[in-house]
Amino acid sequence: MKKITKALIIAVFAMMASLFCAFSNPMLLEEYLNYLQKTLVDHYDGSQEKNLIKRYELNVTNTGFCRYRRFYNSGKTEYFSFKLSKFKDIDYLGTTKQGKLILRTVGDDVILQTYNDKAGDIDSMASSVIIPMKDMEVDDLNKIKSTIIKINTELN
């Protein structure tokens, strides 16, 4: 009888745990990363630099890196990369129609590389990445910041 009671108690606890998990719907890390990627790309404003930039790449990886690459008409390439776990804060300069999103890191944690520059190829570090954006509301900025914080929580 004691074996049946123990088995019943274990089964009841297992059912309760699965019931609690079924009704909690935490957003998975991949969903956070996809949301951040989609938001940054959807709000990217290439018109701010259309005379300088031929194309750009903006990626958020599943390992928690934010990568931004700009290909200039002159042939120069700039590459920015930082680990989202080094994220410190977010700033936005401009209006809701057009502005610059500044992603700040704890220290000089942004890798900055230039290629095909007249001054030569340069590898350096920076403390922020500036991305031209459009149609950004306060809610969008708050959601970006909270999503990055949630990504960091999931990765750590």
Side-chain angles (χ1 to χ4, degrees), residues 43-97:
H43 290 279
Y44 183 84
D45 187 10
S47 69
Q48 291 184 38
E49 301 172 327
K50 70 180 176 184
N51 296 331
L52 299 172
I53 305 297
K54 182 181 356 177
R55 68 182 175 94
Y56 78 96
E57 294 173 2
L58 187 54
N59 297 308
V60 179
T61 69
N62 60 355
T63 56
F65 277 91
C66 181
R67 296 185 173 139
Y68 176 46
R69 183 174 287 172
R70 298 188 300 185
F71 299 90
Y72 287 81
N73 292 330
S74 66
K76 175 183 168 182
T77 301
E78 284 183 336
Y79 174 73
F80 302 87
S81 178
F82 74 96
K83 192 155 179 74
L84 292 173
S85 63
K86 300 295 185 175
F87 173 78
K88 179 181 178 183
D89 204 1
I90 191 172
D91 288 317
Y92 185 77
L93 302 174
T95 65
T96 56
K97 295 288 182 199

Side-chain angles (χ1 to χ4, degrees), residues 18 31 43 70 89 98-99 140:
S18 64
E31 290 173 349
H43 290 279
R70 298 188 300 185
D89 204 1
Q98 191 176 54
D140 296 323

Side-chain angles (χ1 to χ4, degrees), residues 13 21 37 42-43 48 52 54 78 85-86 101 129-130 139 143 155-156:
F13 279 119
C21 289
Q37 168 80 30
D42 288 350
H43 290 279
Q48 291 184 38
L52 299 172
K54 182 181 356 177
E78 284 183 336
S85 63
K86 300 295 185 175
L101 178 69
V129 176
I130 301 172
D139 290 342
K143 184 78 174 185
L155 286 174
N156 293 333

